[in-house]
Amino acid sequence: MTHPSAPRGRPRDSRAHQAILTAAAELVAELGYAAASIGAVAARAGVGKDTVYRRWPGKAELVYEAVFTRTEAAPAPDTGSLTGDLTALLESLVQEFAAPAATAALPGLLADFAADPDLRARIRSEFLAPAKDGLVAVFERAVRRGEADPGLPVDLVLDTLAGAVFFHVGLVGERPGPQLAAQLAAIVGRGIETR
């Protein structure tokens, strides 16, 4: 029986990783997506450019992780009801999309995604698919409570939630009101509840 070989070199420093993410988000918010170079991120984070490139193949992946993965990294909400869970999830998405770094990054990221199908595929497989997998529990609990049908198209519901926030806050640029998450959760919840 063979075992995979151990990774070569030094193990990754989680502090450097976080410093790079923080530097990327700060620079995008301050300078905009186009001006936030890998070199500038590395300098602010106090690491070499090679350290950045060992973790991310390019600026788009780095900026996406720095700006748009807070909601994905959080545990799936469990409030006891589908509407409560959807509201909590949507509140996180609204905060994420309304953050200065997100509003600054979005136009450049969208342009890069449109120009590079391989980049789109990497973002989908490395970030979006695992995030969706992590939220399946919300809908499994809703099915067990009788709030949703077992055949619910979870991927489509999650796309609907993120799409509504993306369009309203990210694309149109509306400042989200305090009730936006609850309003969207009620609309989507009514659409998917067991009849």
Side-chain angles (χ1 to χ4, degrees):
M1 177 184 233
T2 61
H3 296 283
S5 60
R8 301 178 95 170
R10 292 182 303 186
R12 286 193 177 162
D13 180 353
S14 62
R15 291 172 302 188
H17 190 85
Q18 189 55 53
I20 295 165
L21 292 174
T22 300
E26 289 172 354
L27 283 169
V28 167
E30 292 168 17
L31 306 175
Y33 179 79
S37 68
I38 294 289
V41 170
R44 179 164 295 190
V47 300
K49 286 197 316 189
D50 287 346
T51 301
V52 177
Y53 281 117
R54 276 194 296 274
R55 291 167 166 81
W56 297 274
K59 180 170 77 170
E61 292 91 346
L62 167 58
V63 170
Y64 186 88
E65 183 174 346
V67 176
F68 291 108
T69 59
R70 196 170 7 143
T71 299
E72 297 167 6
D78 187 2
T79 65
S81 74
L82 178 59
T83 301
D85 290 349
L86 293 178
T87 301
L89 174 60
L90 284 160
E91 284 171 348
S92 294
L93 283 172
V94 167
Q95 289 174 7
E96 195 167 273
F97 273 93
T103 58
L106 204 52
L109 280 174
L110 290 175
D112 283 355
F113 293 167
D116 187 348
D118 292 336
L119 171 62
R120 260 195 328 268
R122 284 193 306 274
I123 295 295
R124 189 178 300 125
S125 66
E126 293 173 22
F127 296 107
L128 297 176
K132 285 182 175 183
D133 290 346
L135 292 170
V136 167
V138 167
F139 299 97
E140 289 173 344
R141 286 192 302 267
V143 168
R144 285 194 301 273
R145 290 188 302 255
E147 296 176 292
D149 291 322
L152 181 69
V154 172
D155 275 357
L156 186 57
V157 174
L158 290 171
D159 288 349
T160 301
L161 296 170
V165 174
F166 164 75
F167 186 81
H168 188 77
V169 178
L171 208 55
V172 176
E174 292 289 330
R175 294 304 312 154
Q179 294 301 313
L180 178 62
Q183 290 169 331
L184 289 172
I187 292 167
V188 173
R190 278 195 297 274
I192 64 175
E193 66 189 6
T194 302
R195 302 197 191 292

